[in-house]
């Protein structure tokens, strides 16, 4: 949600700033801007509505030569997306420039105060109060920028990550409170950014600023203080490479990231699985004894978590409660927090609602665990323990590979907590280890078929996705993915629920995507390790399959076209549906993996067919750092 970057060093700053902004454009892309301290000592600002590419077109780079600069790419909160509201924002003299990610909650009050003192405002943003406040404090502190910024920040309520540049100051001042900010450490140069991919091309040495940190970054020094006292922050080596954060020949990040799903599964497994032992890096079993699990998340991570609930409850028989973080934050906490392990599931580790929920659970005495994809992200610093998904950097705004990596963590959690005979446990692990291959089969064998179905789906304006059991959350995820990138109105439903209302919407113009995978009868019989569960599990999955097929027949009777996701070899299904996407056979509990890969491809190709801006869907941004 807004990306900010800064550079100070010996090289030309502007190309580095533009490149860095481009790499984190997923954080917002409705307007952008840069501020450069020129070689002659004068500052120069350029900003506009639209994307970085658009900004570059009207920017004569040779007029912006200088070694210190800041930049911003915006996702509007206060004030429409426009040149006027784009960052950087300046003080009245145009000498102090600020880029900001977050929301200043008390800006209106401060603005009125500043207006009364004669300050003039040119934008509708909350951010503009910051350069004016700094200007106000500069005189008091004998023109010392660090002190002036510190005093200005003391007036602010809300969330912020800011970078400040000032005419005549050979460095940058940065600060954070509830919004992410990192410093990339270079050789006679340093970088500041909201997110690691912004600096990866330059360095993989990174310092994560903490809540309340204020930093003065110069080309050969980094000073950090908190509460006015100097602090030391550890420098970390980021394992991601620049290739990880590039498109690698794919047209869109999203397609590349879908194709990385097998690797995301493998790398996540690799982190925690040695031989036949799962080691999550902390003592889960002892901590979980006699407790239930509370999971909080938003969006796609929430759907993964709904699936995780079923996986863990099925494997380990431990009760799991799943809450939307944004709702949990304002609901009564009626449980005894000390009897709960609270887990926050967040790809970015920076989603504001999820972080608040994590803090709330902590306040109530729960042991807390962050499940995240980003090393050193805010969630990792709040939680007692962290489990990393090994998806690598995810740039496409629509989450894909992080979703399957989160599922893998749920399998590992479920199996870690499960009490089952060793042979059964090994059987599950064996099937889990085979999941990268299963995901790869969908990519290799069904992509062309899915493209054909996507062409068909792309002609419609409404669609339903249905599933049952462990595949209901996958139907919800399929619908979310389709709507956010193709703008087709899509709803995910429990297959049995359509007849309780949504049936009224079914016509020949409302296609339904039905997840119809099943555990074929007899498969369990070939796997002695599951003998204890054979009867129940086989019965249950067969029932789910038959019931869903029954629902599909009801849907067909209302005239809606049906696309089924079904297993290889299931010929029965063809009699009832209009099209079939094939996925390899798996046990029911693992079927969400191939089904997800298929639905991610379907959403991608449908959006592509409709000519949508796939990596930058309208009105969205990755990493939602505001409530
Ligand atoms: C949708 C999507 C979002 C995120 C949500 C939570 O494709 O990406 O719904 O899943 O904003 O983000 P994280 O997982 O970073 O907390």
């Amino acid at each position: 949600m807004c990306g900010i970057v800064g550079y100070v060093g010996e090289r030309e700053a502007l190309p580095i700033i533009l490149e860095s902004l481009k790499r984190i454009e997923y954080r917002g892309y409705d307007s952008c801007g840069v501020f450069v301290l020129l070689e002659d000592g004068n500052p120069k600002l350029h900003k506009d509505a639209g994307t970085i590419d658009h900004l570059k077109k009207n920017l004569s780079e040779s007029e912006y030569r200088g070694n210190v600069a800041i930049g911003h790419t915006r996702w509007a909160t206060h004030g429409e997306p426009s040149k006027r509201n784009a960052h950087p924002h300046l003080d009245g003299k145009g000498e102090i420039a600020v880029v900001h990610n977050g929301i200043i909650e008390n800006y209106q009050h401060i603005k009125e105060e500043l207006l009364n003192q004669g300050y003039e405002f040119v934008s509708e943003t909350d951010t503009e109060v910051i350069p004016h406040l700094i200007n106000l404090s500069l005189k008091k502190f004998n023109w010392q920028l660090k002190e002036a910024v510190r005093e200005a920040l003391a007036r602010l309520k809300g969330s912020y990550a800011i970078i400040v540049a000032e005419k005549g100051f050979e460095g940058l001042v940065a600060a954070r409170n509830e919004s992410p900010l990192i410093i990339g450490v270079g050789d006679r140069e340093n970088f500041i950014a909201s997110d690691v991919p912004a600096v990866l091309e330059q360095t993989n040495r990174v310092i994560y600023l903490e809540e309340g940190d204020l930093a003065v970054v110069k080309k050969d020094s980094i000073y950090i203080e908190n509460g006015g006292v100097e602090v030391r922050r550890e420098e970390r080596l980021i394992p991601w490479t620049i290739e990880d954060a590039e498109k690698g020949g794919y047209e869109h990040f999203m397609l590349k990231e879908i194709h990385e799903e097998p690797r995301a599964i493998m790398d996540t497994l690799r982190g925690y699985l040695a031989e036949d032992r799962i080691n999550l890096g902390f003592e889960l079993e002892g901590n979980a004894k006699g407790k239930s699990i509370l999971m909080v998340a938003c969006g796609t991570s929430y759907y993964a978590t709904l699936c995780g609930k079923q996986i863990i409850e099925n494997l380990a028989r431990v009760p799991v409660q799943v809450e939307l973080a944004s709702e949990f934050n304002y609901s009564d906490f009626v449980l005894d927090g000390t009897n709960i392990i609270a887990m926050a599931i967040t790809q970015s580790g920076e989603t504001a609602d999820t972080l608040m929920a994590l803090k709330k659970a902590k306040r109530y005495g729960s042991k807390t665990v962050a499940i995240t994809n980003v090393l050193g992200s805010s969630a990792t610093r709040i939680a007692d323990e962290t489990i990393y998904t090994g998806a690598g950097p995810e740039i496409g705004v629509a989450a894909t590979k992080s979703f399957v990596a989160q599922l893998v963590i749920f399998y590992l959690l479920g199996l870690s907590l499960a009490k089952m005979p060793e042979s059964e446990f090994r059987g599950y692990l064996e099937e889990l280890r085979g999941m990268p291959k299963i995901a790869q089969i969908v990519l290799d064998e069904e992509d062309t078929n899915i493209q054909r179905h996507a062409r068909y789906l792309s002609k419609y304006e409404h669609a339903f996705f249905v599933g049952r059991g462990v595949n209901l959350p996958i139907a919800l995820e399929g619908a979310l993915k389709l709507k956010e990138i193709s703008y087709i109105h899509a709803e995910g439903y429990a297959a049995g629920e359509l007849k309780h209302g949504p049936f009224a919407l079914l016509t020949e113009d409302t296609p339904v995507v039905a997840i119809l995978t099943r555990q074929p009868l007899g498969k369990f019989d070939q796997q002695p390790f599951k003998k204890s569960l054979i009867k129940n599990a086989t019965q249950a999955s067969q029932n789910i399959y038959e019931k869903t097929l029954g629902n599909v027949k009801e849907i067909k009777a209302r005239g809606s076209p049906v696309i089924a996701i079904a297993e290889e070899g299931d010929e029965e299904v063809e009699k009832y549906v209009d099209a079939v996407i094939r996925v390899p056979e798996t046990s029911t509990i693992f079927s969400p993996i191939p089904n997800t890969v298929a639905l991610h491809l379907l959403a991608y190709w449908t959006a592509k067919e409709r000519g949508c801006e796939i990596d930058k869907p309208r009105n969205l941004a990755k990493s939602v750092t505001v409530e």
Side-chain angles (χ1 to χ4, degrees), residues 298-302 345-351 354 394 397-399 406 477 480-481 484 621-624:
C298 299
T300 284
S301 293
Y302 173 70
I345 294 81
T346 163
Q347 185 282 130
S348 61
E350 301 294 349
T351 300
T354 309
E394 190 176 67
V397 167
Q406 288 167 348
E477 163 66 1
L480 174 65
K481 218 84 312 174
E484 73 177 313
K622 205 163 182 73
S623 206
V624 184

Side-chain angles (χ1 to χ4, degrees), residues 559-591:
S560 297
V562 175
I563 301 176
I565 313 250
E567 283 174 345
E568 304 285 0
D570 177 358
E571 278 156 24
E572 178 72 3
V573 77
E574 283 176 6
K575 297 185 200 151
Y576 306 104
V577 301
D578 301 271
V580 185
I581 294 171
R582 294 287 174 188
V583 290
E585 265 184 28
T586 63
S587 298
T588 304
I589 198 161
F590 292 113
S591 61

Side-chain angles (χ1 to χ4, degrees), residues 256-440:
K256 175 189 175 230
E257 287 162 4
I258 296 172
H259 279 266
E260 285 172 347
E261 290 187 354
R263 202 182 97 190
I265 299 169
M266 199 158 22
D267 288 349
T268 305
L269 281 175
R270 201 173 278 146
Y272 302 106
L273 205 53
E275 304 283 313
D276 277 349
R277 288 284 144 250
I278 299 169
N279 181 357
L280 291 167
F282 65 99
E283 221 282 283
L284 176 67
E285 213 186 322
N287 280 305
K289 214 174 172 77
K291 294 186 181 172
S292 63
I293 298 176
L294 167 73
M295 291 188 169
V296 290
C298 299
T300 284
S301 293
Y302 173 70
Y303 294 147
T305 304
L306 287 178
C307 194
K309 169 187 164 70
Q310 299 198 43
I311 292 168
I312 295 168
E313 290 185 342
N314 181 293
L315 291 172
R317 320 311 290 175
V318 174
V320 180
Q321 180 179 338
V322 179
E323 300 282 347
L324 276 170
S326 54
E327 286 298 310
F328 175 73
N329 290 332
Y330 298 98
S331 64
D332 288 335
F333 197 117
V334 292
L335 304 167
D336 174 2
T338 56
N339 271 333
I340 289 169
I341 299 191
M343 300 191 175
I345 294 81
T346 163
Q347 185 282 130
S348 61
E350 301 294 349
T351 300
D353 288 320
T354 309
L355 297 183
M356 262 181 85
L358 191 59
K359 287 181 193 160
K360 179 170 171 177
K362 205 169 180 173
R363 272 200 313 281
Y364 279 81
S366 304
K367 165 101 179 162
T368 51
V369 180
I371 299 175
T372 185
N373 196 39
V374 181
L375 186 86
S377 56
S378 299
T380 68
R381 288 196 297 271
I382 298 167
D384 301 316
E385 309 288 352
T386 298
I387 304 175
Y388 286 105
T389 45
E394 190 176 67
I395 312 285
V397 167
T400 51
K401 59 178 176 168
S402 62
F403 182 91
V404 291
Q406 288 167 348
L407 293 185
V408 170
I409 297 292
F410 297 133
Y411 291 117
L412 294 173
L413 280 170
L415 288 170
S416 303
L417 294 169
K419 306 248 174 306
M420 57 175 66
E422 187 68 18
S423 58
E424 204 174 296
F425 175 81
R426 281 175 202 266
Y428 277 114
L429 276 192
E430 194 187 308
E431 193 162 1
L432 183 54
R433 280 204 178 95
M435 283 302 120
K437 199 161 155 217
I438 292 283
Q440 193 62 50

Side-chain angles (χ1 to χ4, degrees), residues 476-526:
L476 301 177
E477 163 66 1
L480 174 65
K481 218 84 312 174
L482 186 72
K483 76 179 102 177
E484 73 177 313
I485 58 165
S486 76
Y487 314 142
I488 292 174
H489 167 227
E491 300 285 346
Y493 259 94
E497 271 293 299
L498 278 193
K499 56 183 168 299
H500 297 289
F503 257 34
L505 293 172
L506 293 188
T507 67
E508 61 279 11
D509 292 325
T510 51
V512 178
V513 179
I515 304 181
L516 270 164
T517 44
R518 60 173 177 170
Q519 167 62 58
L521 276 173
K523 185 157 187 233
F524 275 106
D525 300 326
Q526 296 153 22

Side-chain angles (χ1 to χ4, degrees), residues 140-215:
K140 184 169 154 194
F141 288 101
N142 200 21
W143 314 107
Q144 295 302 307
L145 184 62
K146 178 181 64 159
E147 281 68 21
V149 172
R150 192 198 292 142
E151 170 149 300
L153 294 181
R155 295 285 321 274
L156 307 182
K157 290 206 176 88
S159 58
Y160 55 78
I162 60 162
I163 311 176
V164 186
E166 188 203 7
K167 180 179 174 184
F169 187 72
E170 279 294 307
L172 298 168
V173 176
R176 71 158 282 185
N177 183 48
E178 292 180 12
S179 295
L181 201 58
I182 58 137
I183 298 174
V185 183
D187 184 16
R188 294 190 63 76
E189 60 183 0
N190 289 305
F191 312 82
I192 309 173
S194 304
D195 238 344
V196 170
V199 302
L200 264 186
E201 194 175 4
Q202 315 296 343
T203 180
N204 63 350
R205 295 163 59 198
V206 164
I207 295 170
Y208 289 86
L209 292 181
E210 303 211 350
E211 297 299 330
D213 280 358
L214 185 146

